[in-house]
Amino acid sequence: MGFNLRGMRKSSIDAEIEGVCGGLGEYTHLPVWMWRTVFVVFGFACGASVVVYLAFALCMPDAEGNSAY
């Protein structure tokens, strides 16, 4: 069992800021609220999740498949 990262996209339906957590929730078996909690908790704890979120926001294609790069 492996992950095919080419299928991961931002969510256009469940998007609070950029749709990253919504896209992760659609792609994985974890619910969206759990992804948001992880990013917020680790954001306050060490700030590393802010960098990871920004990387996802820049690199993940949107729901239509268009990427920033």
Side-chain angles (χ1 to χ4, degrees):
M1 180 180 154
F3 287 107
N4 181 7
L5 296 179
R6 292 179 190 249
M8 188 166 44
R9 306 245 184 270
K10 292 180 189 176
S11 177
S12 61
I13 299 168
D14 193 6
E16 292 292 326
I17 298 174
E18 280 287 322
V20 172
C21 292
L24 289 170
E26 291 172 1
Y27 184 74
T28 63
H29 295 291
L30 294 176
V32 177
W33 66 266
M34 195 172 289
W35 281 110
R36 290 186 179 125
T37 304
V38 166
F39 277 111
V40 168
V41 167
F42 283 112
F44 283 123
C46 62
S49 69
V50 175
V51 175
V52 172
Y53 188 89
L54 290 175
F56 274 134
L58 289 174
C59 296
M60 278 177 71
D62 57 8
E64 289 80 35
N66 302 323
S67 180
Y69 293 101

